[in-house]
mmCIF file of all heavy atoms in Angstrom:
data_model
loop_
_atom_site.group_PDB
_atom_site.id
_atom_site.type_symbol
_atom_site.label_atom_id
_atom_site.label_comp_id
_atom_site.label_asym_id
_atom_site.label_seq_id
_atom_site.Cartn_x
_atom_site.Cartn_y
_atom_site.Cartn_z
ATOM 1 N N ASP O 111 -17.783 -1.827 -1.857
ATOM 2 C CA ASP O 111 -16.858 -1.801 -0.728
ATOM 3 C C ASP O 111 -15.578 -2.508 -1.155
ATOM 4 O O ASP O 111 -15.609 -3.650 -1.636
ATOM 5 C CB ASP O 111 -17.486 -2.522 0.465
ATOM 6 C CG ASP O 111 -16.619 -2.422 1.704
ATOM 7 O OD1 ASP O 111 -16.375 -1.291 2.140
ATOM 8 O OD2 ASP O 111 -16.204 -3.467 2.223
ATOM 9 N N VAL O 112 -14.447 -1.824 -1.016
ATOM 10 C CA VAL O 112 -13.163 -2.385 -1.422
ATOM 11 C C VAL O 112 -12.349 -2.728 -0.185
ATOM 12 O O VAL O 112 -12.196 -1.903 0.722
ATOM 13 C CB VAL O 112 -12.377 -1.396 -2.314
ATOM 14 C CG1 VAL O 112 -10.993 -1.951 -2.631
ATOM 15 C CG2 VAL O 112 -13.145 -1.113 -3.597
ATOM 16 N N ALA O 113 -11.814 -3.942 -0.159
ATOM 17 C CA ALA O 113 -10.947 -4.378 0.935
ATOM 18 C C ALA O 113 -9.499 -4.257 0.479
ATOM 19 O O ALA O 113 -9.013 -5.057 -0.331
ATOM 20 C CB ALA O 113 -11.261 -5.818 1.327
ATOM 21 N N TYR O 114 -8.827 -3.218 0.957
ATOM 22 C CA TYR O 114 -7.423 -2.996 0.626
ATOM 23 C C TYR O 114 -6.539 -3.746 1.612
ATOM 24 O O TYR O 114 -6.824 -3.795 2.804
ATOM 25 C CB TYR O 114 -7.079 -1.512 0.712
ATOM 26 C CG TYR O 114 -7.652 -0.644 -0.370
ATOM 27 C CD1 TYR O 114 -8.883 -0.025 -0.200
ATOM 28 C CD2 TYR O 114 -6.954 -0.420 -1.551
ATOM 29 C CE1 TYR O 114 -9.410 0.801 -1.192
ATOM 30 C CE2 TYR O 114 -7.469 0.393 -2.545
ATOM 31 C CZ TYR O 114 -8.695 1.009 -2.353
ATOM 32 O OH TYR O 114 -9.213 1.820 -3.325
ATOM 33 N N ALA O 115 -5.441 -4.276 1.104
ATOM 34 C CA ALA O 115 -4.453 -4.890 1.988
ATOM 35 C C ALA O 115 -3.594 -3.824 2.640
ATOM 36 O O ALA O 115 -3.413 -2.728 2.106
ATOM 37 C CB ALA O 115 -3.577 -5.850 1.204
ATOM 38 N N LEU O 116 -3.064 -4.158 3.810
ATOM 39 C CA LEU O 116 -2.051 -3.358 4.487
ATOM 40 C C LEU O 116 -0.800 -4.225 4.576
ATOM 41 O O LEU O 116 -0.805 -5.260 5.241
ATOM 42 C CB LEU O 116 -2.518 -2.940 5.884
ATOM 43 C CG LEU O 116 -3.790 -2.105 5.967
ATOM 44 C CD1 LEU O 116 -4.160 -1.859 7.426
ATOM 45 C CD2 LEU O 116 -3.627 -0.784 5.224
ATOM 46 N N CYS O 117 0.245 -3.813 3.881
ATOM 47 C CA CYS O 117 1.476 -4.613 3.864
ATOM 48 C C CYS O 117 2.375 -4.140 4.993
ATOM 49 O O CYS O 117 3.243 -3.281 4.809
ATOM 50 C CB CYS O 117 2.173 -4.486 2.513
ATOM 51 S SG CYS O 117 3.555 -5.635 2.318
ATOM 52 N N ASP O 118 2.163 -4.715 6.162
ATOM 53 C CA ASP O 118 2.814 -4.242 7.382
ATOM 54 C C ASP O 118 3.973 -5.110 7.847
ATOM 55 O O ASP O 118 4.636 -4.770 8.837
ATOM 56 C CB ASP O 118 1.789 -4.161 8.519
ATOM 57 C CG ASP O 118 0.749 -3.078 8.300
ATOM 58 O OD1 ASP O 118 0.932 -2.260 7.376
ATOM 59 O OD2 ASP O 118 -0.246 -3.052 9.050
ATOM 60 N N ASP O 119 4.225 -6.226 7.175
ATOM 61 C CA ASP O 119 5.255 -7.131 7.676
ATOM 62 C C ASP O 119 5.844 -7.967 6.543
ATOM 63 O O ASP O 119 5.341 -7.978 5.418
ATOM 64 C CB ASP O 119 4.692 -8.048 8.777
ATOM 65 C CG ASP O 119 3.414 -8.748 8.349
ATOM 66 O OD1 ASP O 119 3.357 -9.251 7.213
ATOM 67 O OD2 ASP O 119 2.469 -8.792 9.156
ATOM 68 N N ARG O 120 6.942 -8.660 6.859
ATOM 69 C CA ARG O 120 7.637 -9.464 5.859
ATOM 70 C C ARG O 120 6.737 -10.551 5.297
ATOM 71 O O ARG O 120 6.753 -10.806 4.087
ATOM 72 C CB ARG O 120 8.872 -10.105 6.504
ATOM 73 C CG ARG O 120 9.680 -10.966 5.554
ATOM 74 C CD ARG O 120 10.712 -11.809 6.289
ATOM 75 N NE ARG O 120 11.557 -12.554 5.368
ATOM 76 C CZ ARG O 120 12.156 -13.694 5.680
ATOM 77 N NH1 ARG O 120 12.013 -14.210 6.908
ATOM 78 N NH2 ARG O 120 12.918 -14.313 4.788
ATOM 79 N N ARG O 121 5.958 -11.195 6.158
ATOM 80 C CA ARG O 121 5.106 -12.300 5.717
ATOM 81 C C ARG O 121 4.145 -11.847 4.624
ATOM 82 O O ARG O 121 3.979 -12.521 3.599
ATOM 83 C CB ARG O 121 4.343 -12.836 6.931
ATOM 84 C CG ARG O 121 3.653 -14.164 6.733
ATOM 85 C CD ARG O 121 2.915 -14.543 8.004
ATOM 86 N NE ARG O 121 2.369 -15.878 7.941
ATOM 87 C CZ ARG O 121 1.527 -16.373 8.846
ATOM 88 N NH1 ARG O 121 1.143 -15.617 9.881
ATOM 89 N NH2 ARG O 121 1.064 -17.601 8.731
ATOM 90 N N THR O 122 3.535 -10.688 4.813
ATOM 91 C CA THR O 122 2.593 -10.172 3.822
ATOM 92 C C THR O 122 3.318 -9.801 2.531
ATOM 93 O O THR O 122 2.829 -10.066 1.424
ATOM 94 C CB THR O 122 1.843 -8.946 4.381
ATOM 95 O OG1 THR O 122 1.163 -9.334 5.578
ATOM 96 C CG2 THR O 122 0.839 -8.412 3.376
ATOM 97 N N LEU O 123 4.494 -9.203 2.648
ATOM 98 C CA LEU O 123 5.260 -8.833 1.465
ATOM 99 C C LEU O 123 5.637 -10.069 0.661
ATOM 100 O O LEU O 123 5.520 -10.078 -0.582
ATOM 101 C CB LEU O 123 6.522 -8.073 1.884
ATOM 102 C CG LEU O 123 7.404 -7.543 0.755
ATOM 103 C CD1 LEU O 123 6.677 -6.499 -0.071
ATOM 104 C CD2 LEU O 123 8.701 -6.962 1.328
ATOM 105 N N LEU O 124 6.064 -11.127 1.336
ATOM 106 C CA LEU O 124 6.408 -12.368 0.635
ATOM 107 C C LEU O 124 5.185 -12.981 -0.023
ATOM 108 O O LEU O 124 5.276 -13.527 -1.133
ATOM 109 C CB LEU O 124 7.039 -13.357 1.620
ATOM 110 C CG LEU O 124 8.444 -13.024 2.101
ATOM 111 C CD1 LEU O 124 8.855 -13.964 3.228
ATOM 112 C CD2 LEU O 124 9.444 -13.107 0.947
ATOM 113 N N TRP O 125 4.041 -12.896 0.640
ATOM 114 C CA TRP O 125 2.811 -13.428 0.047
ATOM 115 C C TRP O 125 2.478 -12.676 -1.241
ATOM 116 O O TRP O 125 2.148 -13.281 -2.262
ATOM 117 C CB TRP O 125 1.655 -13.330 1.042
ATOM 118 C CG TRP O 125 0.373 -13.858 0.466
ATOM 119 C CD1 TRP O 125 0.006 -15.176 0.331
ATOM 120 C CD2 TRP O 125 -0.702 -13.093 -0.076
ATOM 121 N NE1 TRP O 125 -1.237 -15.275 -0.261
ATOM 122 C CE2 TRP O 125 -1.688 -14.016 -0.522
ATOM 123 C CE3 TRP O 125 -0.936 -11.732 -0.219
ATOM 124 C CZ2 TRP O 125 -2.888 -13.602 -1.109
ATOM 125 C CZ3 TRP O 125 -2.119 -11.316 -0.809
ATOM 126 C CH2 TRP O 125 -3.086 -12.237 -1.243
ATOM 127 N N PHE O 126 2.604 -11.361 -1.221
ATOM 128 C CA PHE O 126 2.356 -10.575 -2.428
ATOM 129 C C PHE O 126 3.346 -10.953 -3.528
ATOM 130 O O PHE O 126 2.976 -11.080 -4.703
ATOM 131 C CB PHE O 126 2.444 -9.082 -2.132
ATOM 132 C CG PHE O 126 1.136 -8.461 -1.745
ATOM 133 C CD1 PHE O 126 0.977 -7.883 -0.500
ATOM 134 C CD2 PHE O 126 0.060 -8.457 -2.626
ATOM 135 C CE1 PHE O 126 -0.232 -7.308 -0.136
ATOM 136 C CE2 PHE O 126 -1.154 -7.886 -2.276
ATOM 137 C CZ PHE O 126 -1.307 -7.304 -1.026
ATOM 138 N N ALA O 127 4.608 -11.121 -3.179
ATOM 139 C CA ALA O 127 5.607 -11.491 -4.177
ATOM 140 C C ALA O 127 5.248 -12.825 -4.816
ATOM 141 O O ALA O 127 5.367 -13.000 -6.035
ATOM 142 C CB ALA O 127 6.992 -11.564 -3.532
ATOM 143 N N ASN O 128 4.784 -13.775 -4.004
ATOM 144 C CA ASN O 128 4.397 -15.072 -4.554
ATOM 145 C C ASN O 128 3.155 -14.979 -5.434
ATOM 146 O O ASN O 128 2.939 -15.819 -6.303
ATOM 147 C CB ASN O 128 4.163 -16.079 -3.433
ATOM 148 C CG ASN O 128 4.077 -17.497 -3.949
ATOM 149 O OD1 ASN O 128 5.026 -17.996 -4.562
ATOM 150 N ND2 ASN O 128 2.940 -18.160 -3.741
ATOM 151 N N GLN O 129 2.345 -13.948 -5.208
ATOM 152 C CA GLN O 129 1.171 -13.698 -6.051
ATOM 153 C C GLN O 129 1.540 -12.963 -7.336
ATOM 154 O O GLN O 129 0.673 -12.533 -8.082
ATOM 155 C CB GLN O 129 0.141 -12.870 -5.279
ATOM 156 C CG GLN O 129 -0.442 -13.545 -4.051
ATOM 157 C CD GLN O 129 -1.202 -14.791 -4.408
ATOM 158 O OE1 GLN O 129 -2.089 -14.760 -5.252
ATOM 159 N NE2 GLN O 129 -0.852 -15.903 -3.775
ATOM 160 N N ARG O 130 2.836 -12.801 -7.572
ATOM 161 C CA ARG O 130 3.357 -12.101 -8.751
ATOM 162 C C ARG O 130 2.921 -10.637 -8.752
ATOM 163 O O ARG O 130 2.588 -10.068 -9.797
ATOM 164 C CB ARG O 130 2.943 -12.812 -10.042
ATOM 165 C CG ARG O 130 3.388 -14.261 -10.104
ATOM 166 C CD ARG O 130 2.877 -14.964 -11.342
ATOM 167 N NE ARG O 130 3.561 -14.484 -12.535
ATOM 168 C CZ ARG O 130 4.578 -15.106 -13.118
ATOM 169 N NH1 ARG O 130 5.056 -16.223 -12.585
ATOM 170 N NH2 ARG O 130 5.140 -14.624 -14.200
ATOM 171 N N ALA O 131 2.921 -10.042 -7.566
ATOM 172 C CA ALA O 131 2.700 -8.602 -7.440
ATOM 173 C C ALA O 131 4.042 -7.918 -7.654
ATOM 174 O O ALA O 131 4.949 -8.037 -6.817
ATOM 175 C CB ALA O 131 2.120 -8.263 -6.077
ATOM 176 N N VAL O 132 4.173 -7.221 -8.770
ATOM 177 C CA VAL O 132 5.446 -6.608 -9.133
ATOM 178 C C VAL O 132 5.535 -5.177 -8.609
ATOM 179 O O VAL O 132 6.550 -4.773 -8.048
ATOM 180 C CB VAL O 132 5.639 -6.629 -10.664
ATOM 181 C CG1 VAL O 132 6.955 -5.958 -11.052
ATOM 182 C CG2 VAL O 132 5.597 -8.061 -11.198
ATOM 183 N N GLU O 133 4.455 -4.401 -8.760
ATOM 184 C CA GLU O 133 4.477 -2.991 -8.370
ATOM 185 C C GLU O 133 3.634 -2.759 -7.119
ATOM 186 O O GLU O 133 2.562 -3.360 -6.963
ATOM 187 C CB GLU O 133 3.946 -2.110 -9.509
ATOM 188 C CG GLU O 133 4.758 -2.200 -10.786
ATOM 189 C CD GLU O 133 4.326 -1.161 -11.821
ATOM 190 O OE1 GLU O 133 3.468 -0.307 -11.506
ATOM 191 O OE2 GLU O 133 4.847 -1.215 -12.945
ATOM 192 N N TYR O 134 4.086 -1.798 -6.279
ATOM 193 C CA TYR O 134 3.449 -1.516 -4.988
ATOM 194 C C TYR O 134 3.080 -0.028 -4.927
ATOM 195 O O TYR O 134 3.955 0.833 -4.935
ATOM 196 C CB TYR O 134 4.382 -1.923 -3.851
ATOM 197 C CG TYR O 134 4.599 -3.428 -3.860
ATOM 198 C CD1 TYR O 134 5.447 -4.022 -4.799
ATOM 199 C CD2 TYR O 134 3.890 -4.250 -2.996
ATOM 200 C CE1 TYR O 134 5.592 -5.398 -4.865
ATOM 201 C CE2 TYR O 134 4.042 -5.632 -3.047
ATOM 202 C CZ TYR O 134 4.889 -6.202 -3.991
ATOM 203 O OH TYR O 134 5.006 -7.566 -4.058
ATOM 204 N N HIS O 135 1.769 0.233 -4.895
ATOM 205 C CA HIS O 135 1.237 1.596 -4.982
ATOM 206 C C HIS O 135 0.403 1.912 -3.740
ATOM 207 O O HIS O 135 -0.812 1.703 -3.725
ATOM 208 C CB HIS O 135 0.354 1.738 -6.228
ATOM 209 C CG HIS O 135 1.066 1.571 -7.530
ATOM 210 N ND1 HIS O 135 1.256 2.615 -8.406
ATOM 211 C CD2 HIS O 135 1.631 0.480 -8.118
ATOM 212 C CE1 HIS O 135 1.906 2.176 -9.474
ATOM 213 N NE2 HIS O 135 2.144 0.882 -9.327
ATOM 214 N N PRO O 136 1.030 2.413 -2.680
ATOM 215 C CA PRO O 136 0.266 2.799 -1.481
ATOM 216 C C PRO O 136 -0.400 4.156 -1.681
ATOM 217 O O PRO O 136 -0.004 4.948 -2.542
ATOM 218 C CB PRO O 136 1.339 2.876 -0.394
ATOM 219 C CG PRO O 136 2.575 3.279 -1.139
ATOM 220 C CD PRO O 136 2.480 2.607 -2.491
ATOM 221 N N THR O 137 -1.408 4.431 -0.877
ATOM 222 C CA THR O 137 -2.067 5.731 -0.910
ATOM 223 C C THR O 137 -1.223 6.776 -0.184
ATOM 224 O O THR O 137 -0.312 6.446 0.573
ATOM 225 C CB THR O 137 -3.450 5.664 -0.240
ATOM 226 O OG1 THR O 137 -3.274 5.270 1.131
ATOM 227 C CG2 THR O 137 -4.369 4.682 -0.927
ATOM 228 N N LEU O 138 -1.580 8.033 -0.394
ATOM 229 C CA LEU O 138 -0.934 9.145 0.305
ATOM 230 C C LEU O 138 -1.657 9.479 1.600
ATOM 231 O O LEU O 138 -1.374 10.499 2.232
ATOM 232 C CB LEU O 138 -0.879 10.370 -0.609
ATOM 233 C CG LEU O 138 -0.047 10.167 -1.884
ATOM 234 C CD1 LEU O 138 -0.197 11.357 -2.813
ATOM 235 C CD2 LEU O 138 1.415 9.933 -1.540
ATOM 236 N N VAL O 139 -2.596 8.627 1.984
ATOM 237 C CA VAL O 139 -3.280 8.758 3.268
ATOM 238 C C VAL O 139 -3.061 7.478 4.057
ATOM 239 O O VAL O 139 -2.757 6.430 3.489
ATOM 240 C CB VAL O 139 -4.800 9.013 3.091
ATOM 241 C CG1 VAL O 139 -5.051 10.311 2.352
ATOM 242 C CG2 VAL O 139 -5.475 7.844 2.355
ATOM 243 N N ARG O 140 -3.230 7.561 5.353
ATOM 244 C CA ARG O 140 -3.110 6.385 6.209
ATOM 245 C C ARG O 140 -4.481 5.747 6.412
ATOM 246 O O ARG O 140 -5.511 6.419 6.328
ATOM 247 C CB ARG O 140 -2.496 6.767 7.564
ATOM 248 C CG ARG O 140 -1.104 7.369 7.438
ATOM 249 C CD ARG O 140 -0.471 7.557 8.810
ATOM 250 N NE ARG O 140 0.790 8.262 8.722
ATOM 251 C CZ ARG O 140 1.952 7.705 8.384
ATOM 252 N NH1 ARG O 140 1.983 6.403 8.110
ATOM 253 N NH2 ARG O 140 3.056 8.411 8.321
ATOM 254 N N ALA O 141 -4.469 4.462 6.687
ATOM 255 C CA ALA O 141 -5.728 3.729 6.840
ATOM 256 C C ALA O 141 -6.569 4.248 7.995
ATOM 257 O O ALA O 141 -7.790 4.137 7.973
ATOM 258 C CB ALA O 141 -5.440 2.239 7.030
ATOM 259 N N ASP O 142 -5.911 4.832 8.994
ATOM 260 C CA ASP O 142 -6.642 5.320 10.165
ATOM 261 C C ASP O 142 -7.037 6.797 10.032
ATOM 262 O O ASP O 142 -7.563 7.383 10.977
ATOM 263 C CB ASP O 142 -5.847 5.100 11.447
ATOM 264 C CG ASP O 142 -4.477 5.779 11.409
ATOM 265 O OD1 ASP O 142 -4.145 6.416 10.378
ATOM 266 O OD2 ASP O 142 -3.739 5.677 12.401
ATOM 267 N N ASP O 143 -6.766 7.395 8.859
ATOM 268 C CA ASP O 143 -7.114 8.804 8.673
ATOM 269 C C ASP O 143 -7.236 9.094 7.178
ATOM 270 O O ASP O 143 -6.315 9.599 6.545
ATOM 271 C CB ASP O 143 -6.046 9.711 9.302
ATOM 272 C CG ASP O 143 -6.432 11.187 9.247
ATOM 273 O OD1 ASP O 143 -7.541 11.505 8.765
ATOM 274 O OD2 ASP O 143 -5.613 12.021 9.684
ATOM 275 N N TRP O 144 -8.402 8.771 6.639
ATOM 276 C CA TRP O 144 -8.627 8.923 5.199
ATOM 277 C C TRP O 144 -8.715 10.388 4.767
ATOM 278 O O TRP O 144 -8.583 10.699 3.591
ATOM 279 C CB TRP O 144 -9.918 8.215 4.795
ATOM 280 C CG TRP O 144 -9.837 6.726 4.828
ATOM 281 C CD1 TRP O 144 -10.196 5.908 5.853
ATOM 282 C CD2 TRP O 144 -9.359 5.861 3.795
ATOM 283 N NE1 TRP O 144 -9.977 4.591 5.532
ATOM 284 C CE2 TRP O 144 -9.472 4.539 4.265
ATOM 285 C CE3 TRP O 144 -8.855 6.088 2.513
ATOM 286 C CZ2 TRP O 144 -9.092 3.442 3.501
ATOM 287 C CZ3 TRP O 144 -8.480 4.993 1.740
ATOM 288 C CH2 TRP O 144 -8.597 3.686 2.237
ATOM 289 N N ALA O 145 -8.974 11.291 5.675
ATOM 290 C CA ALA O 145 -9.267 12.676 5.302
ATOM 291 C C ALA O 145 -8.016 13.542 5.154
ATOM 292 O O ALA O 145 -8.106 14.639 4.607
ATOM 293 C CB ALA O 145 -10.205 13.308 6.335
ATOM 294 N N HIS O 146 -6.871 13.056 5.633
ATOM 295 C CA HIS O 146 -5.672 13.894 5.643
ATOM 296 C C HIS O 146 -4.525 13.233 4.874
ATOM 297 O O HIS O 146 -4.256 12.043 5.045
ATOM 298 C CB HIS O 146 -5.233 14.191 7.075
ATOM 299 C CG HIS O 146 -6.221 15.019 7.832
ATOM 300 N ND1 HIS O 146 -7.290 14.469 8.509
ATOM 301 C CD2 HIS O 146 -6.307 16.359 8.003
ATOM 302 C CE1 HIS O 146 -7.994 15.442 9.070
ATOM 303 N NE2 HIS O 146 -7.420 16.594 8.786
ATOM 304 N N THR O 147 -3.857 14.010 4.056
ATOM 305 C CA THR O 147 -2.749 13.543 3.236
ATOM 306 C C THR O 147 -1.422 13.784 3.960
ATOM 307 O O THR O 147 -1.268 14.772 4.661
ATOM 308 C CB THR O 147 -2.757 14.285 1.883
ATOM 309 O OG1 THR O 147 -4.030 14.112 1.270
ATOM 310 C CG2 THR O 147 -1.691 13.759 0.947
ATOM 311 N N THR O 148 -0.458 12.880 3.755
ATOM 312 C CA THR O 148 0.816 12.969 4.470
ATOM 313 C C THR O 148 1.976 13.447 3.607
ATOM 314 O O THR O 148 3.040 13.747 4.136
ATOM 315 C CB THR O 148 1.194 11.602 5.062
ATOM 316 O OG1 THR O 148 1.334 10.652 3.989
ATOM 317 C CG2 THR O 148 0.137 11.118 6.042
ATOM 318 N N HIS O 149 1.790 13.489 2.282
ATOM 319 C CA HIS O 149 2.850 13.954 1.392
ATOM 320 C C HIS O 149 2.251 14.752 0.236
ATOM 321 O O HIS O 149 1.182 14.408 -0.280
ATOM 322 C CB HIS O 149 3.653 12.789 0.802
ATOM 323 C CG HIS O 149 4.466 12.037 1.809
ATOM 324 N ND1 HIS O 149 3.907 11.083 2.647
ATOM 325 C CD2 HIS O 149 5.784 12.090 2.114
ATOM 326 C CE1 HIS O 149 4.859 10.589 3.423
ATOM 327 N NE2 HIS O 149 6.006 11.173 3.119
ATOM 328 N N LEU O 150 2.956 15.787 -0.137
ATOM 329 C CA LEU O 150 2.666 16.519 -1.356
ATOM 330 C C LEU O 150 3.607 15.950 -2.418
ATOM 331 O O LEU O 150 4.816 15.836 -2.183
ATOM 332 C CB LEU O 150 2.918 18.003 -1.111
ATOM 333 C CG LEU O 150 2.617 19.046 -2.175
ATOM 334 C CD1 LEU O 150 2.378 20.408 -1.509
ATOM 335 C CD2 LEU O 150 3.752 19.165 -3.187
ATOM 336 N N VAL O 151 3.068 15.569 -3.577
ATOM 337 C CA VAL O 151 3.861 14.853 -4.579
ATOM 338 C C VAL O 151 3.779 15.540 -5.934
ATOM 339 O O VAL O 151 2.687 15.870 -6.407
ATOM 340 C CB VAL O 151 3.388 13.392 -4.718
ATOM 341 C CG1 VAL O 151 4.154 12.679 -5.836
ATOM 342 C CG2 VAL O 151 3.560 12.644 -3.407
ATOM 343 N N LEU O 152 4.934 15.738 -6.549
ATOM 344 C CA LEU O 152 5.021 16.197 -7.936
ATOM 345 C C LEU O 152 5.613 15.073 -8.770
ATOM 346 O O LEU O 152 6.689 14.547 -8.445
ATOM 347 C CB LEU O 152 5.891 17.444 -8.058
ATOM 348 C CG LEU O 152 5.317 18.803 -7.650
ATOM 349 C CD1 LEU O 152 4.004 19.100 -8.366
ATOM 350 C CD2 LEU O 152 5.169 18.926 -6.162
ATOM 351 N N ASP O 153 4.902 14.688 -9.811
ATOM 352 C CA ASP O 153 5.321 13.620 -10.715
ATOM 353 C C ASP O 153 5.810 14.273 -12.008
ATOM 354 O O ASP O 153 5.052 14.978 -12.678
ATOM 355 C CB ASP O 153 4.129 12.701 -10.982
ATOM 356 C CG ASP O 153 4.462 11.535 -11.886
ATOM 357 O OD1 ASP O 153 5.637 11.379 -12.264
ATOM 358 O OD2 ASP O 153 3.535 10.775 -12.236
ATOM 359 N N LEU O 154 7.076 14.070 -12.352
ATOM 360 C CA LEU O 154 7.671 14.713 -13.525
ATOM 361 C C LEU O 154 7.816 13.697 -14.651
ATOM 362 O O LEU O 154 8.549 12.714 -14.528
ATOM 363 C CB LEU O 154 9.040 15.296 -13.171
ATOM 364 C CG LEU O 154 9.091 16.211 -11.932
ATOM 365 C CD1 LEU O 154 10.485 16.777 -11.761
ATOM 366 C CD2 LEU O 154 8.071 17.326 -12.036
#
């Protein structure tokens, strides 16, 4: 079981920055709907 963070506010973002989190990689699904994707993405 993986506990993912949700970076929903400034306080959380600052906490991540202080943890030396440099890159931010969110999923293409929302936490309240794992079955549906919100963006089609092409990586070149």
Side-chain angles (χ1 to χ4, degrees):
D111 185 60
V112 175
Y114 289 91
L116 300 176
C117 189
D118 292 349
D119 51 44
R120 180 192 185 207
R121 193 181 187 190
T122 302
L123 183 64
L124 289 171
W125 180 78
F126 269 118
N128 193 60
Q129 296 297 307
R130 303 176 71 99
V132 179
E133 299 189 6
Y134 295 76
H135 296 248
T137 61
L138 298 173
V139 298
R140 300 187 186 280
D142 58 0
D143 185 2
W144 289 94
H146 295 86
T147 305
T148 61
H149 293 80
L150 184 156
V151 176
L152 283 306
D153 181 4
L154 308 183

